[in-house]
Amino acid sequence: MKTIRKIGVMTSGGDAPGMNAAIRSVVRTCAYHELECIGIYRGFQGLIEGDFKSMDARSVNNIINKGGTILKSARSDEFRAREGRDTAFAKAKSAEIDALIIIGGDGSFNGAILFSEENNFPVIGIPGTIDNDIFGTSSTLGYDTACNTVVEAIDKIRDTASSHNRLFFVEVMGRDVGNIALNAGVGAGAEEILIPEENLGKERLIESLKRSRASGKSSSIVVVAEGDKTGENVFELKDYVEENLPEYEVRVSVLGHMQRGGSPSCWDRVLASRMGVKAVESLMEGKSNYMIGIRDSQMTLCPLDQAVKGKTKIDKELIRVSDIMTT
């Protein structure tokens, strides 16, 4: 078993609220166990370029409440090539880094797997993505905060919708999975929720809106995941509804990258703190190529290749709840 004395930590891929809290946890757990911690800036690109900074417990003061990532994040085309990964390994070896903790999504984990296999180098992943689309954990860092951000935005949009008797399509992130749309839609009391996993169909959408209108609703909110297949895009859906329900004044609000920002929720801060501790201590125990997850409130280890290849499933019971709530 390789003795771990110095751990590198990086953030990679899209940012997510809670990444800074995870960095803080990794750094302070290293300090607690008298290990050195090296911050790697700009993800795998920074690893290739040797963009390193030694971090101690005081260097992560006052970041638990901040969104984004103090270590920055960047895509790296160089790392996709073997030559780039060899350069990254040489830089890590030169800095005497013994293991890596990578905070990111499935793309980052794919890079981590390659790097580890080619160089026999210990790696542990912490899932940081607002989409909650990684197998092996019931929650990823940033997901809870993103849902809260969307609910808050919809609450404000509803004030305008009800004031002007309007129908609003609110597009949220979720290219392949509809977790944000489904959970935030139920939480905000949306009249309809459109997600990639369940193709509602234009005709059923129109019938649902007609029923809402007939029941006395003068305004409606429809939450649409960006990957929904009901229409070509949310603006095409708007045009279709206006053609078939001219009594509705329809507006579109695309929330976009505001969902990634903001101060992380208490849940995400605590989850990040727990995952950081588990990541460091797993490396100390000689474990590698695992992702830290949470199941039934307990920290778990999921093999990185399973986390990448496994398919998450939408909560069918919550879809049923949504159908009942939109009656």
Side-chain angles (χ1 to χ4, degrees):
M1 185 185 299
K2 182 179 180 180
T3 301
I4 303 296
R5 296 186 177 87
K6 185 182 293 189
I7 294 175
V9 59
M10 69 167 74
T11 50
S12 178
D15 64 290
M19 281 185 164
N20 279 327
I23 294 167
R24 173 181 180 269
S25 178
V26 169
V27 172
R28 293 199 167 175
T29 305
C30 283
Y32 178 84
H33 289 291
E34 298 183 343
L35 304 176
E36 289 186 67
C37 188
I38 300 295
I40 301 167
Y41 286 81
R42 297 177 294 114
F44 291 118
Q45 190 61 36
L47 186 60
I48 290 172
E49 296 175 10
D51 193 358
F52 306 153
K53 181 180 179 180
S54 181
M55 304 182 78
D56 60 23
R58 301 285 73 79
S59 67
V60 290
N61 283 349
N62 303 319
I63 68 168
I64 193 171
N65 60 312
K66 294 181 179 178
T69 162
I70 62 167
L71 291 179
K72 311 294 184 183
S73 185
R75 310 291 180 183
S76 178
D77 290 333
E78 284 184 69
F79 196 81
R80 298 177 188 274
R82 180 62 187 263
E83 183 181 354
R85 295 192 296 273
D86 287 345
T87 301
F89 176 66
K91 293 288 186 180
K93 191 174 180 181
S94 176
E96 299 182 337
I97 295 173
D98 299 313
L100 289 177
I101 293 175
I102 294 123
I103 307 166
D106 53 4
S108 304
F109 293 164
N110 272 318
I113 292 169
L114 278 174
F115 186 76
S116 176
E117 290 177 347
E118 291 169 354
N119 303 293
N120 191 29
F121 199 88
V123 298
I124 291 286
I126 292 177
T129 169
I130 67 168
D131 290 333
N132 201 35
D133 59 350
I134 296 181
F135 181 82
T137 183
S138 59
S139 186
T140 59
L141 294 184
Y143 172 61
D144 183 70
T145 304
C147 285
N148 290 338
T149 298
V150 171
V151 167
E152 184 179 352
I154 293 174
D155 287 347
K156 293 176 180 179
I157 289 169
R158 189 179 290 281
D159 291 342
T160 293
S162 59
S163 296
H164 297 275
N165 295 337
R166 287 174 177 162
L167 164 64
F168 266 87
F169 283 103
V170 181
E171 185 186 87
V172 303
M173 285 185 168
R175 186 179 63 241
D176 301 311
V177 296
N179 287 319
I180 292 177
L182 180 58
N183 280 266
V186 170
E191 279 65 40
E192 279 296 345
I193 302 168
L194 308 182
I195 57 177
E197 295 88 346
E198 298 278 323
N199 191 343
L200 182 64
K202 294 179 183 177
E203 293 74 18
R204 187 180 154 198
L205 173 62
I206 293 297
E207 289 304 312
S208 175
L209 292 173
K210 283 181 178 179
R211 289 196 301 271
S212 293
R213 192 80 171 180
S215 70
K217 291 183 179 180
S218 58
S219 63
S220 292
I221 300 289
V222 178
V223 179
V224 186
E226 60 183 327
D228 174 66
K229 306 298 190 297
T230 304
E232 291 183 12
N233 56 59
V234 69
F235 295 99
E236 190 263 347
L237 272 180
K238 168 186 176 294
D239 294 339
Y240 184 82
V241 170
E242 286 181 331
E243 290 172 8
N244 290 272
L245 294 174
E247 63 270 26
Y248 269 117
E249 185 179 355
V250 188
R251 295 288 185 272
V252 171
S253 181
V254 179
L255 299 187
H257 285 79
M258 70 177 291
Q259 295 160 85
R260 280 191 183 175
S263 181
S265 65
C266 179
W267 168 264
D268 277 328
R269 298 183 197 192
V270 174
L271 181 62
S273 300
R274 295 180 71 187
M275 285 183 166
V277 171
K278 184 69 172 179
V280 172
E281 294 184 345
S282 294
L283 286 171
M284 293 174 65
E285 293 165 2
K287 295 182 172 66
S288 177
N289 271 296
Y290 285 99
M291 180 197 75
I292 308 301
I294 184 169
R295 293 283 192 188
D296 300 323
S297 298
Q298 299 300 311
M299 290 294 100
T300 60
L301 292 173
C302 174
L304 273 179
D305 59 346
Q306 289 185 24
V308 170
K309 295 175 183 176
K311 297 294 183 183
T312 58
K313 295 181 180 179
I314 201 73
D315 188 339
K316 295 290 186 180
E317 175 61 19
L318 193 55
I319 291 177
R320 194 176 79 86
V321 170
S322 169
D323 290 339
I324 295 171
M325 292 299 101
T326 57
T327 300

